[in-house]
Amino acid sequence: MMKKNGWILFLFIILGLVGGALIARWLEPVPGISFLTKPIETTWSPALDLYVLSLQFTMQLQISLFSIIGAVAAIWLYRRM
């Protein structure tokens, strides 16, 4: 039996989110399930300008119901290990 820890769970959740996002992207042309594939998008862009040094960072999150389903499936698989 494998020892469970937080990093493995985090990895499972990330892989579940990515897997769900890929499935949503592949099934995007199917009109009957558009509510599952349409992502909710949010962007965060902090910036720092010190005249000599300028720093810009952008983080964008796109999550769909398929991504959430993938994350839930990943947690379920983790618990079954």
Side-chain angles (χ1 to χ4, degrees):
M1 183 174 231
M2 190 172 129
K3 182 182 176 188
K4 296 181 183 180
N5 65 35
W7 289 108
I8 300 295
L9 176 60
F10 180 72
L11 180 64
F12 266 62
I13 292 172
I14 294 298
L15 290 175
L17 286 169
V18 170
L22 287 174
I23 291 170
R25 171 102 15 127
W26 292 332
L27 294 177
E28 198 171 17
V30 180
I33 57 171
S34 63
F35 68 97
L36 290 171
T37 60
K38 183 174 178 171
I40 297 171
E41 299 179 15
T42 185
T43 303
W44 181 53
S45 299
L48 176 67
D49 188 6
L50 300 174
Y51 297 110
V52 177
L53 176 69
S54 178
L55 177 67
Q56 297 176 352
F57 180 74
T58 301
M59 184 183 301
Q60 183 176 14
L61 177 68
Q62 295 181 353
I63 193 159
S64 66
L65 283 178
F66 268 127
S67 295
I68 295 170
I69 291 169
V72 169
I75 293 169
W76 179 78
L77 285 172
Y78 176 79
R79 294 189 61 152
R80 300 275 302 175
M81 287 186 0

